[in-house]
Amino acid sequence: NAGVTQTPKFQVLKTGQSMTLQCAQDMNHEYMSWYRQDPGMGLRLIHYSVGAGITDQGEVPNGYNVSRSTTEDFPLRLLSAAPSQTSVYFCASNKAGRGTDTQYFGPGTRLTVL
Amino acid sequence: GEDVEQSLFLSVREGDSSVINCTYTDSSSTYLYWYKQEPGAGLQLLTYIFSNMDMKQDQRLTVLLNKKDKHLSLRIADTQTGDSAIYFCAEILNTDKLIFGTGTRLQVFP
């Protein structure tokens, strides 16, 4: 299993550009999430999905869109990039439900918006 | 509230014990977690504790939970240079959301 994969690893955008961060998992997990990590602020949940066709907002959803057309893929779209979106983005997946189920994280995408 | 707070830095000598502290505010948390993030990598689950427990030991790791004070700690015995990383505590809410703390950067020096 490749686990959770993210592409690209690094990206530089100009203000106003759009792009899609890709996330895929091959563990047949139902639950997938996107976080952003900023210094001194830990990880903040952007959007999450509890299964194909179902998405919901996290703490900081503004400026981001997601879709979940398959179990494997959960892309994150930046509609019009802003410097405040400069961050490291992590995708994670786990089996549905609460509890001891481990959340597996991808290696991250470091995004800089100029 | 959904705040999870940690001190930002901890520096210890190799071989000593490290204690990383965390406070949370949501009393409905069912599980609390400790994650480790090494440089340039994603987060890796280290250990977890159910809210009706007050202690859990897993090899060099000891988790203590004081539910009355909403305080969680992670003790690493015999700290090694390979333990240098950022450690995040996290709580899971009834909505299945995982709320992370700000992270504590542990620096181990020889």
Side-chain angles (χ1 to χ4, degrees):
Chain A
N1 286 352
V4 181
T5 57
Q6 290 183 240
T7 55
K9 283 193 76 102
F10 301 95
Q11 183 70 49
V12 179
L13 291 178
K14 292 182 181 175
T15 296
Q17 286 185 311
S18 62
M19 81 157 293
T20 299
L21 279 62
Q22 301 291 344
C23 174
Q25 51 91 11
D26 61 358
M27 297 172 282
N28 204 31
H29 286 168
E30 294 175 19
Y31 201 96
M32 296 185 76
S33 310
W34 275 103
Y35 295 88
R36 59 178 288 173
Q37 183 180 25
D38 300 294
M41 298 187 77
L43 274 76
R44 292 181 293 168
L45 183 65
I46 304 171
H47 284 285
Y48 65 101
S49 168
V50 299
I54 307 168
T55 63
D56 208 345
Q57 295 182 348
E59 293 175 74
V60 287
N62 292 340
Y64 307 95
N65 271 1
V66 291
S67 59
R68 185 92 180 273
S69 54
T70 67
T71 300
E72 294 78 21
D73 300 296
F74 191 42
L76 178 73
R77 278 182 287 278
L78 279 71
L79 308 171
S80 177
S84 60
Q85 294 178 305
T86 294
S87 188
V88 182
Y89 291 85
F90 289 100
C91 178
S93 77
N94 59 287
K95 291 179 195 169
R98 286 174 274 153
T100 61
D101 183 50
T102 299
Q103 198 168 46
Y104 293 86
F105 282 81
T109 295
R110 186 174 294 275
L111 175 68
T112 302
V113 183
L114 302 175
Chain B
E2 299 179 355
D3 288 333
V4 180
E5 294 187 356
Q6 302 176 235
S7 53
L8 291 180
F9 298 102
L10 177 65
S11 184
V12 299
R13 190 181 297 277
E14 192 174 18
D16 287 351
S17 292
S18 308
V19 179
I20 303 170
N21 295 302
C22 171
T23 57
Y24 60 98
T25 56
D26 197 309
S27 57
S28 67
S29 298
T30 52
Y31 286 90
L32 295 121
Y33 302 85
W34 282 104
Y35 283 82
K36 177 182 181 183
Q37 184 184 31
E38 295 182 353
L43 276 69
Q44 176 191 8
L45 180 66
L46 277 182
T47 188
Y48 65 90
I49 189 166
F50 187 46
S51 60
N52 69 352
M53 299 167 65
D54 50 23
M55 187 182 95
K56 180 179 179 181
Q57 187 145 6
D58 186 358
Q59 298 182 341
R60 291 191 299 123
L61 306 178
T62 303
V63 179
L64 295 178
L65 175 61
N66 181 328
K67 201 171 178 186
K68 173 175 163 290
D69 294 337
K70 299 191 186 72
H71 182 264
L72 182 73
S73 67
L74 174 69
R75 179 177 179 270
I76 306 173
D78 187 25
T79 313
Q80 303 297 308
T81 54
D83 295 323
S84 293
I86 302 176
Y87 290 81
F88 292 92
C89 66
E91 60 173 345
I92 197 155
L93 306 183
N94 288 332
T95 55
D96 280 343
K97 281 166 57 176
L98 197 59
I99 305 297
F100 286 87
T102 51
T104 299
R105 184 179 295 274
L106 174 65
Q107 181 72 44
V108 183
F109 58 93

